[in-house]
Amino acid sequence: MTRHRRVLGLAAAAIAALTLAGCATMHVRSYVGRDADFGRYRTYGWGVEAALPTGDPRLDSNPFFQERLRTAVDTQLAARAFERIDAAEADLLLHYHVSVTQRIDVNLIDQKYGYCEDCRPEVYDAGTLTLDLVDTRTGRLVWRGWAERSIDGMLEEQDWMEQQIDEAVARILARLPRTL
Amino acid sequence: MSRLLTGLAAVVLALTAAGCAARSAGSYVDRGIDFTQYRTYDWGPADALPAGDPRLATHAYFQDYVQGAIERRLAVRGFGRPASGAPDLLIHYHASITQRIAVDPFDREFGACYDENCRVRVTDYEAGLLVLDVVDARTGRVVWRGWARHGVADILNNPDRMARRINEAVTGMLQTLPAAAQVTAGTSSLQTGGKE
């Protein structure tokens, strides 16, 4: 019984540790339109720059962020044999959105199982980058991929920010249903 | 006695932390741009960033403080207003205040607790953010953006402290702005300007 409990506790702690690491690591996910035929798409174009505020004025209309992102996306899509052409003629329209929100991680599970030495709630800024692909013929969203991670300290360092943009874009677009 | 001391130490540290936690600054630069081509600047129209906080927008001195601090630091970096004609650079800034959350990290480490459970205190505070954009007047491109963030709780009703804080923020952020083309005349005019 005690042994059983300990195993459970350890498992919970392991999960908690993974979740905790969660605020420092990047999570990448995607949705795909079930009836979308990705074999049909060959070309893409950039949609109009989203005017939505990011939630962080440091990133609002920030050309250093935007240009790095566009270059990273163009590189990744070219590697997957997508050709960038004028948006009016393209098969796919590409949009992105960035948002920043402050989150709290209270480390509840860790505290319960005494797994952490330093069981304090943590506050961090979570940044989310979302890439959308819209079928220009039907106007439907056919794919959405996003990456989320703590951006604490990232906006202080241009080099680090750029490296994280590259990594996020590469990992998001690696999930595109396209095999070549 | 020693408990009281520890308690005091914790309070002092907590106060320090409230200031430090909120303080950060950074900048981005267009790496492909040669800054030595720029010498003059002027204030450009404000951009489309979300509107600043009304407490700053209607503040009697805030805008003067910010503009004054920026102009002084730009002079130190070698930038001046154009004697005639168009400036090389246009600058504009944006200020905002957002509510943020902080976790007090010191109570536990120093064993000084507010209650017997020694719970962590989660507090909220208001952080002011100042963003300065430097735009190439010819191409319209933002070639540099600097920002500084700091808690504003103790400065909104204290003009002197506000002026000091803004000076620190602007000085810190403009430290990373590449210096302008070296013009000896610019430096000397700054020095005489101070005496007038």
Side-chain angles (χ1 to χ4, degrees), chain A residues 53 55-65 67-68 100 102-104 106 111 118-125 152 154-159 161-162, chain B residues 24-31 47-50 94 96 98-105 108-109 120 122 125 129 131 133 141-145 147 149:
Chain A
D56 191 321
R58 293 173 295 178
L59 282 177
D60 285 334
S61 20
N62 182 330
F64 311 103
F65 185 94
E67 280 165 24
R68 184 69 177 206
V100 177
Q102 206 183 21
R103 304 261 171 87
I104 302 186
V106 291
Q111 284 186 44
D118 189 18
C119 301
R120 292 191 309 236
E122 283 178 75
V123 181
Y124 63 98
D125 279 331
D152 279 357
M154 193 188 296
L155 296 183
E156 277 88 332
E157 299 285 339
Q158 188 174 359
D159 290 332
M161 179 180 84
E162 289 169 346
Chain B
S24 54
S27 65
Y28 317 105
V29 64
D30 188 333
R31 296 198 180 91
D47 66 358
L49 284 171
H94 171 73
S96 59
T98 46
Q99 194 169 38
R100 293 180 63 79
I101 293 164
V103 174
D104 186 339
R108 273 162 190 262
E109 278 166 34
V120 172
V122 176
Y125 67 98
L129 176 66
V131 178
D133 278 350
R141 273 177 64 92
V142 178
V143 290
W144 186 88
R145 166 175 287 188
W147 57 267
R149 188 156 72 180

Side-chain angles (χ1 to χ4, degrees), chain A residues 47-179:
Chain A
V48 187
E49 196 77 56
L52 290 169
T54 60
D56 191 321
R58 293 173 295 178
L59 282 177
D60 285 334
S61 20
N62 182 330
F64 311 103
F65 185 94
Q66 291 166 353
E67 280 165 24
R68 184 69 177 206
L69 178 76
R70 279 170 180 262
T71 307
V73 170
D74 286 339
T75 309
Q76 291 295 327
L77 287 180
R80 288 172 177 76
F82 284 99
E83 189 193 350
R84 178 162 65 97
I85 60 170
D86 189 70
E89 322 249 300
D91 300 333
L92 292 167
L93 203 58
L94 183 58
H95 289 282
Y96 74 87
H97 180 61
V98 185
S99 66
V100 177
T101 47
Q102 206 183 21
R103 304 261 171 87
I104 302 186
D105 183 346
V106 291
N107 291 338
L108 260 188
I109 305 177
D110 286 352
Q111 284 186 44
K112 193 167 170 188
Y113 291 94
Y115 192 72
C116 47
E117 281 176 25
D118 189 18
C119 301
R120 292 191 309 236
E122 283 178 75
V123 181
Y124 63 98
D125 279 331
T128 308
L129 168 65
T130 309
L131 295 178
D132 279 351
L133 286 173
V134 176
D135 186 318
T136 49
R137 215 164 34 84
T138 62
R140 280 166 61 97
L141 183 65
V142 290
W143 189 83
R144 164 172 290 180
W146 74 94
E148 183 181 282
R149 63 156 294 167
S150 160
I151 58 157
D152 279 357
M154 193 188 296
L155 296 183
E156 277 88 332
E157 299 285 339
Q158 188 174 359
D159 290 332
W160 191 19
M161 179 180 84
E162 289 169 346
Q163 181 215 320
Q164 288 299 318
I165 292 171
D166 292 349
E167 187 188 333
V169 168
R171 288 185 53 192
I172 292 171
L173 290 177
R175 300 179 65 92
L176 263 182
R178 176 104 164 173
T179 42

Side-chain angles (χ1 to χ4, degrees), chain B residues 81-131:
Chain B
R81 307 298 271 274
S84 63
D88 302 328
L89 298 166
L90 288 172
I91 60 174
H92 61 254
Y93 71 88
H94 171 73
S96 59
I97 297 179
T98 46
Q99 194 169 38
R100 293 180 63 79
I101 293 164
V103 174
D104 186 339
F106 288 107
D107 287 0
R108 273 162 190 262
E109 278 166 34
F110 291 90
C113 297
Y114 273 171
D115 58 25
E116 58 211 26
N117 296 324
C118 203
R119 281 185 298 221
V120 172
R121 276 180 307 155
V122 176
T123 51
D124 63 333
Y125 67 98
E126 290 190 301
L129 176 66
L130 181 66
V131 178

Side-chain angles (χ1 to χ4, degrees), chain B residues 138-170:
Chain B
R138 216 165 29 82
T139 63
R141 273 177 64 92
V142 178
V143 290
W144 186 88
R145 166 175 287 188
W147 57 267
R149 188 156 72 180
H150 201 291
V152 294
D154 56 342
I155 65 169
L156 283 174
N157 295 318
N158 186 329
D160 289 342
R161 207 177 285 154
M162 177 184 269
R164 217 159 46 232
R165 246 348 113 57
I166 288 172
N167 252 327
E168 286 166 16
V170 168

